[in-house]
Amino acid sequence: MPRRTWLMSRMFHLGFFSSFSPPAWHAATDRAHGEDWWSGDYHARLARHVEEACFDFLFFEDTSGVSRMFGGSMDTDLKNSLSAPKNDPVALISYLSAVTTRLGLISTASTTLYPPYLLARLYSTVDGLSRGRAGWNIVTSSEEESAHNYGYEALPPPGERYDRAEEFVDVARQLWTSWEEGAVVRDHDRGIHTDPAKVHEINHVGKHFKVRGPLNSFPSPQRVPVLAQAGGSPRGRDFAARNAELIMATTIGGIDAMRAFREDIHGRMKTFGRSPDECRIMYATHVHVTDGSRDLRSTVTDSQLVSMLGKHAAHIGVDLFQYDLDAPLPEDVVANGTTSMLDSIKDKGRQGITLREAILDICLGDDELGVVGTADDIAHNLAGAMEAVGGDGFIIMATQNANEEHVSGILDEVVPRLQRMGVARTGYSGATLRENLFAF
Ligand SMILES: Cc1cc2nc3c(=O)[nH]c(=O)nc-3n(C[C@H](O)[C@H](O)[C@H](O)COP(=O)(O)O)c2cc1C
């Protein structure tokens, strides 16, 4: 792609997308480090590396089941390491908080599966351990299997999941603020550790939850972890506009769609009485540094394609393997999972794009932004795209078949170029994730 000419001025934020699962299983080379991924060592190295590159945060996605979304069996998931094994990312970020000092650490937990008290206490604890660097990616879960592991007969429909999520966040917020500022006095002379007059029951009784409170954990440095969310449907956008401080969006549809999403969210925020300044909108994008060749598709092996299809089948809640890969996905397919992802595959189908190509577009980046290429081109195009969209940054994903060399290409080659262009930070001005996220 020829370089576009952009006027660049604004700094933007960077996050790195990861998963507490075997790294680079599908990479063609460099597989050795995957063997003891569960020890946290691989992610500790990654976290230090991401911190050296001055990213705002390292983000961990999560799901809670072994998928049977391929012909009713777990075989495809397990053989291809699609959604299992995957360990708990909240435990991982506790560990990572001890091996980093400035990097924000965001992990995912589901409002459909967790009880709010457990979650509020857990994140309060992690925020303390990390000295204020914790974030919570609020998801409602989109896989049937997760629901079966937590007592549901079926995953509740999306609207119901968001209803529960609204009440959940309201309860969690009340718990996090159930200790007033100054409640902990530690007055040895009077024999008072915590002033009982400043700690309050919340006595919440709602449709989904009954919680007395207060929280029994120590008020953490940020009080409330940074609340992140990634809902693309109208209901998801409303939820995010009302609650989130960080929205993780996609780059699907290119710059026009990214700008439209940002405007839409800002409009919704105003409806809920919030200023657009109270939320950062960051776009998750695959980035792949190559020595010039931009033809990633020809490097995708059958096993990688199965993996891409399988992951998306589980997210969407449809067995994609039953459809013709070389035809557009039929219009009448319905699902109970990630509806916005299904919609974008159908949108592509309407333009004559086959299921195979749609999945490759989503997994490798359809490169409308120019994020496959040399480090120079990628840095230039990321900065240009951000200037055209208006903010607030990118969450960088190594592509499906990325190995350590590719990760290093991003952190050691693309990021320094962004820093030299003056659009990425070269140091941390704040101590907490929230301070850094809202520093500019
Ligand atoms: C960058 C990004 C990260 C996401 N991470 C997760 C995740 O870790 N776990 C999960 O269940 N869903 C995840 N999702 C899905 C969203 O949380 C959301 O459930 C999904 O988009 C469905 O909601 P919607 O139909 O409103 O879009 C992610 C989505 C995006 C764009």
Side-chain angles (χ1 to χ4, degrees), residues 17 59-63 108 137-143 162 230-233 236 248-250 284 337-340:
F17 188 101
F59 163 82
F60 290 95
E61 62 86 30
D62 197 33
T63 48
T108 299
N137 175 33
I138 308 168
V139 299
T140 59
S141 292
S142 44
E143 316 81 19
Y162 276 120
S233 64
M248 299 186 291
T250 70
T338 303
T339 49
S340 53

Side-chain angles (χ1 to χ4, degrees), residues 101-315:
T101 55
R102 310 303 290 271
L103 180 68
L105 298 162
I106 303 180
S107 65
T108 299
S110 167
T111 52
T112 304
L113 310 179
Y114 276 63
Y117 191 94
L118 187 151
L119 181 132
R121 186 162 186 252
L122 190 57
Y123 274 85
S124 182
T125 303
V126 179
D127 196 50
L129 287 169
S130 63
R131 296 185 183 271
R133 295 183 285 131
W136 168 33
N137 175 33
I138 308 168
V139 299
T140 59
S141 292
S142 44
E143 316 81 19
E144 208 62 35
E145 280 73 20
S146 303
H148 294 166
N149 292 333
Y150 285 84
Y152 292 98
E153 290 298 323
L155 189 66
E160 212 174 300
R161 300 202 297 271
Y162 276 120
D163 285 345
R164 185 183 153 103
E166 295 279 7
E167 189 182 334
F168 190 117
V169 172
D170 176 43
V171 173
R173 239 190 248 281
Q174 288 185 56
L175 287 169
W176 282 316
T177 51
S178 59
W179 292 46
E180 286 178 35
E181 290 293 338
V184 177
V185 289
R186 292 176 51 84
D187 185 335
H188 284 281
D189 294 340
R190 291 192 294 147
I192 301 174
H193 184 278
T194 304
D195 179 354
K198 292 190 171 171
V199 179
H200 308 287
E201 292 178 357
I202 68 166
N203 292 312
H204 173 89
V205 182
K207 183 164 176 232
H208 301 279
F209 307 110
K210 190 169 177 212
V211 183
R212 185 179 181 189
L215 206 59
N216 70 339
S217 50
F218 192 90
S220 72
Q222 294 187 116
R223 280 293 171 127
V224 179
V226 167
L227 301 181
Q229 213 267 342
S233 64
R235 187 68 207 278
R237 292 180 188 207
D238 270 348
F239 176 84
R242 202 190 317 239
N243 298 296
E245 298 165 276
L246 167 63
I247 294 179
M248 299 186 291
T250 70
T251 58
I252 296 171
I255 286 168
D256 289 345
M258 291 162 71
R259 198 192 291 118
F261 179 86
R262 184 176 161 83
E263 282 164 10
D264 180 73
I265 291 288
H266 285 171
R268 288 174 199 261
M269 286 182 76
K270 286 178 196 152
T271 317
F272 296 122
R274 296 181 75 202
S275 154
D277 288 345
E278 292 172 46
C279 182
R280 295 285 174 256
I281 299 171
M282 294 173 68
Y283 298 86
T285 183
H286 292 281
V287 165
H288 198 103
V289 184
T290 67
D291 51 11
S293 159
R294 298 180 58 251
D295 182 19
L296 278 189
R297 285 170 200 236
S298 64
T299 68
V300 173
T301 62
D302 285 350
S303 137
Q304 285 165 355
L305 184 65
V306 167
S307 156
M308 292 171 185
L309 277 165
K311 281 195 172 161
H312 288 82
H315 287 320

Side-chain angles (χ1 to χ4, degrees), residues 356-373:
R356 181 196 304 273
E357 289 299 319
I359 291 292
L360 287 171
D361 280 352
I362 292 171
C363 293
L364 300 178
D366 50 11
D367 209 28
E368 287 184 55
L369 302 188
V371 287
V372 178

Side-chain angles (χ1 to χ4, degrees), residues 374-418:
T374 65
D376 273 334
D377 284 344
I378 293 172
H380 189 84
N381 290 336
L382 284 176
M386 212 20 64
E387 191 61 29
V389 169
D392 295 309
F394 288 107
I395 300 166
I396 306 286
M397 307 161 92
T399 45
Q400 187 99 17
N401 47 355
N403 56 21
E404 279 197 331
E405 196 187 316
H406 293 131
V407 173
S408 162
I410 297 166
L411 299 178
D412 302 328
E413 292 178 39
V414 176
V415 172
R417 284 168 169 80
L418 292 172

